[in-house]
Amino acid sequence: MYTKKVSILTCLLLLTGLCAIGLFSLLYRFDNKYIMRASLSQEGFSVIKGDSSDPHKITYLAEGWEFYPDVEASPDELSDYTSKEIYIGQYFSFSSFHKNHSPYGSGTYRIVLTGKSGSYSLLLPEVFSACNVYVNGELTASAGSLSPYRPLIKDTIVTVPLENRQAEVVVQTANHSHYYSGVTYPPAVGSSEAVSRLISERMIFYGFLCFTSLTLALFSSAVWIGLRHDPRSRENFFLGILALSFSIRICYPFLRLAGVPLIRPLYALEDAMAALGIFCIIRIVSLVCLKRGLLSDRILPGISLGFVALSAAAPMVILPLLPAFAAVYGQLLFWYKLIISLFLFFLVLKHLTGKSSENFPLLAGIGFYALSLCAHMLCLGRYEPARTGWYDEWGIYGLILLFSVRMVIHNIRIVRENIRLNRHLQEEVEHKTASLNSLLEERRQLLLGFAHDLKTPITSITTFTRLVQMEQPDLSDETKQYLDTIRQKAGEMRDRLVLLQEFSYQDTPSDFSVINLTDLVREFYEQNLPDMDVSGIHFLLHISPKEPLFVYGDRIKLISLLQNLVYNAVGFVPAEGKIELFLSLKDNNACIIVRDNGSGIAPENLPHIFEQFFTRRKGGENGGMGLYIAKSITIEHGGNISASSMPDSGTSFTVSLPIFHKTDQI
């Protein structure tokens, strides 16, 4: 199984590598300014392909340039200076022309264009850091100021008329603020429509990268906020920061097109965001691959944070004071990225081989990024994207996408695991509930059995005490008192057993059905009227609605409810007293009232009468369970019960039950 996983992982990594190489090869072939560059005529002029009306043809002016180092001369003055034949991209700064390798200085570029007569548009991308553009000897555009020096990096568009099939373009540049200098990216020339389309396509590409990265950042942040108490959610946090830093870094084409004047802060922000992205990659890999507290877990983030600080400080502080550091700084950043990516790739490969397949996107993403840096190094000076992005930009974007795939797979696995655990937990709860119900039922049946079996010996005790008194008329008064006490205690035991049986019945599952409450109350009254008459109590019934009232409930428990209320009143009503039973309709509820003219309830006792084991009877007879059971039955039927009383004026119990309508759903 382990060997099979390794083989699959190896195949997938090879496939990822082949896809990356294929993508970079296609970009090199079909989106490379140096492939689509202008050819040179016999005179050394750059030949414009197409004509001024062609809306599709773009020619990139990479070759045929004359460069005058440390010269700020107008076109008429260039003959006094010595030039050097170069191609754009051969030098990224003026450092190669200075003994101290300072990128600061000035330089003038000259090119002669030839082609079909007409008016063309020339796009000069990001001239560093101030420039003047002359076309056919006339100053037509500028960015910033050469003297006094005021830097401004922007995309500059000028009109180039080819008079007699030729035109001369001269670009004066100066840099005293940045590590790039002069014209570093090949200009594009074509019809105005073609140049506008080129700019639009490039902005669409970078806009897509920017906004999709920002979306992933927001999504990762939302996931992290939702799972922030889970230590594993820190991966989502760093993925969100990685995507956010990339979206900020990738905004530079829009800033260059708009000509934002903040030169050093913008480059400091761009470099810092790139370094911050590397830091986030290291943190994600450390969380997945390294144990907390290891030396490598502390060193790698420390180094990466150091480069974040360096990237922010270099354009703002170090380079203005030490210009020669620019060449070292650029090489340092590049090799740092490449070494870190290769190290992380082998670290992930070592720790994740044979483990969960959800970690494959992590390995593939780092490998893709490492390959993009290698491609960038190999094609340095020979590749510049025309409409899309640089290799390292493709690499970091692909890494973010693959990291996001891993996050999605990881979160799906967590959700599935939670569903499985919840299902298992539900099954366990159902199993435990069934076991508990079975145990409770067994205990209930046992209690009922004990209560039933004890009734016989208690009855026998009562019977035999009476027989003793009948058979022995000459018993002493003390002995008769003892026998009366025995019968009294036996009666109390019998009453408690009856309550125990009744309370145990309340635990049985209810058998709910639609019940004619009017008939049930009338039947209860008729069945219990003889007992009341024997006890010397006037028992009265009042039913006000002419139409029957229906409720949804358990017939046996509703009868138990009436018994507890009525017979509770019996204990407090004197001979020739009165108990009234009312049934009425009030606020769409069936209202049952049991009213007596007994001794009433003291105000301090009224709030406690429905509590379990609370009783007002002398000696605690009946255990204070009757009204508690009545309240339990009422609540089970969705109703409510209340009591009102005044001492020596009687008590009234009111039960309200919801009416059942034919349209109600059972």
Side-chain angles (χ1 to χ4, degrees), residues 103 164 353 395 492 517 605 613:
N164 299 322
T353 301
E492 292 178 7
L517 187 61
N605 292 331
F613 304 124

Side-chain angles (χ1 to χ4, degrees), residues 365-561:
I366 295 174
F368 184 78
Y369 180 58
L371 287 174
S372 72
L373 292 177
C374 292
H376 183 81
M377 178 183 65
L378 293 174
C379 299
L380 195 62
R382 294 183 295 166
Y383 171 78
E384 184 187 334
R387 290 174 170 82
T388 62
W390 295 89
Y391 285 152
D392 63 328
E393 294 171 346
W394 280 96
I396 195 70
Y397 185 70
L399 183 144
I400 292 173
L401 290 181
L402 288 168
F403 275 22
S404 301
V405 169
R406 181 189 180 277
M407 181 189 70
V408 171
I409 294 174
H410 180 67
N411 289 329
I412 289 175
R413 186 183 64 80
I414 292 176
V415 171
R416 287 178 176 174
E417 181 68 15
N418 288 337
I419 292 174
R420 186 189 67 81
L421 291 175
N422 288 335
R423 186 183 297 115
H424 179 70
L425 179 61
Q426 184 177 0
E427 292 173 354
E428 285 292 318
V429 170
E430 292 175 354
H431 176 71
K432 296 294 185 183
T433 302
S435 300
L436 182 60
N437 288 336
S438 176
L439 178 62
L440 291 175
E441 179 63 19
E442 291 177 2
R443 295 178 64 181
R444 189 184 66 83
Q445 293 295 336
L446 181 63
L447 288 174
L448 286 174
F450 280 155
H452 181 272
D453 293 340
L454 287 173
K455 280 184 178 180
T456 300
I458 291 174
T459 303
S460 299
I461 292 172
T462 304
T463 302
F464 282 110
T465 55
R466 290 186 182 276
L467 287 174
V468 169
Q469 284 185 324
M470 293 174 60
E471 295 292 336
Q472 302 291 334
D474 56 345
L475 293 175
S476 64
D477 293 339
E478 184 177 2
T479 302
K480 290 180 180 180
Q481 184 178 359
Y482 289 156
L483 292 175
D484 290 339
T485 302
I486 292 173
R487 283 199 305 274
Q488 179 185 353
K489 296 302 180 183
E492 292 178 7
M493 290 179 63
R494 184 178 62 251
D495 292 341
R496 293 179 187 274
L497 287 174
V498 170
L499 284 175
L500 178 61
Q501 283 184 305
E502 188 172 0
F503 190 70
S504 297
Y505 279 126
Q506 307 310 314
D507 291 335
T508 59
S510 299
D511 184 14
F512 276 49
S513 62
V514 179
I515 298 172
N516 187 330
L517 187 61
T518 304
D519 290 345
L520 185 144
V521 171
R522 185 177 285 109
E523 291 173 7
F524 173 81
Y525 170 77
E526 293 172 353
Q527 291 174 1
N528 291 273
L529 181 59
D531 292 339
M532 297 296 174
D533 290 340
V534 172
S535 301
I537 296 175
H538 298 287
F539 191 31
L540 306 176
L541 174 65
H542 307 279
I543 298 179
S544 58
K546 296 181 180 180
E547 299 294 331
L549 299 179
F550 292 90
V551 296
Y552 187 66
D554 186 310
R555 182 180 182 85
I556 296 176
K557 291 187 176 182
L558 289 176
I559 292 174
S560 176
L561 167 66

Side-chain angles (χ1 to χ4, degrees), residues 85-275:
E85 297 292 331
I86 65 167
Y87 68 89
I88 301 301
Q90 184 175 355
Y91 302 103
F92 290 100
S93 70
F94 299 145
S95 60
S96 299
F97 304 98
H98 301 150
K99 292 182 179 180
N100 62 354
H101 300 289
S102 171
Y104 298 159
S106 59
T108 302
Y109 299 80
R110 177 180 180 272
I111 191 172
V112 178
L113 308 179
T114 183
K116 294 183 179 180
S117 298
S119 181
Y120 295 84
S121 290
L122 176 68
L123 171 64
L124 283 167
E126 301 184 46
V127 177
F128 300 95
S129 288
C131 72
N132 291 328
V133 182
Y134 294 85
V135 177
N136 294 328
E138 296 182 1
L139 179 64
T140 58
S142 62
S145 173
L146 275 67
S147 181
Y149 177 72
R150 180 173 56 83
L152 178 63
I153 302 175
K154 64 175 294 185
D155 293 344
T156 304
I157 302 176
V158 297
T159 300
V160 179
L162 259 65
E163 302 172 356
N164 299 322
R165 300 173 62 88
Q166 288 187 4
E168 179 192 54
V169 178
V170 175
V171 183
Q172 295 176 344
T173 66
N175 173 41
H176 301 285
S177 56
H178 192 56
Y179 48 81
Y180 287 155
S181 308
V183 181
T184 58
Y185 305 131
V189 63
S191 66
S192 59
E193 183 180 352
V195 171
S196 298
R197 178 177 296 180
L198 172 66
I199 295 173
S200 299
E201 290 173 352
R202 193 162 182 262
M203 294 301 107
I204 290 172
F205 173 79
Y206 278 98
F208 174 80
L209 261 60
C210 179
F211 288 110
T212 54
S213 299
L214 186 59
T215 301
L216 289 173
L218 294 174
F219 176 70
S220 300
S221 301
V223 173
W224 173 72
I225 292 173
L227 301 174
R228 60 185 179 276
H229 299 298
D230 186 350
R232 295 173 294 182
S233 66
R234 296 176 64 194
E235 297 176 35
N236 298 315
F237 171 76
F238 287 110
L239 176 59
I241 299 299
L242 172 61
L244 178 62
S245 64
F246 180 71
S247 64
I248 295 174
R249 172 194 169 192
I250 214 71
C251 287
Y252 69 87
F254 304 98
L255 302 177
R256 303 292 181 266
L257 186 64
V260 177
L262 303 174
I263 304 303
R264 288 195 178 103
L266 288 179
Y267 276 101
L269 179 64
E270 185 179 336
D271 291 352
M273 290 300 102

Side-chain angles (χ1 to χ4, degrees), residues 547-593:
E547 299 294 331
L549 299 179
F550 292 90
V551 296
Y552 187 66
D554 186 310
R555 182 180 182 85
I556 296 176
K557 291 187 176 182
L558 289 176
I559 292 174
S560 176
L561 167 66
L562 294 173
Q563 285 177 337
N564 278 287
L565 293 177
V566 171
Y567 283 93
N568 176 76
V570 170
F572 299 95
V573 174
E576 300 301 322
K578 182 173 63 175
I579 297 177
E580 296 180 272
L581 177 60
F582 296 85
L583 176 62
S584 62
L585 178 64
K586 184 178 181 181
D587 297 332
N588 204 33
N589 287 306
C591 184
I592 300 173
I593 299 176

Side-chain angles (χ1 to χ4, degrees), residues 333-368:
L333 287 182
F334 175 78
W335 286 106
Y336 160 69
K337 294 177 184 178
L338 183 61
I339 292 173
I340 285 293
S341 62
L342 292 175
F343 175 77
L344 293 179
F345 177 79
F346 288 110
L347 179 65
V348 175
L349 183 63
K350 176 182 176 182
H351 282 77
L352 299 186
T353 301
K355 293 188 178 181
S356 175
S357 58
E358 75 178 45
N359 291 316
F360 166 74
L362 184 68
L363 184 59
I366 295 174
F368 184 78

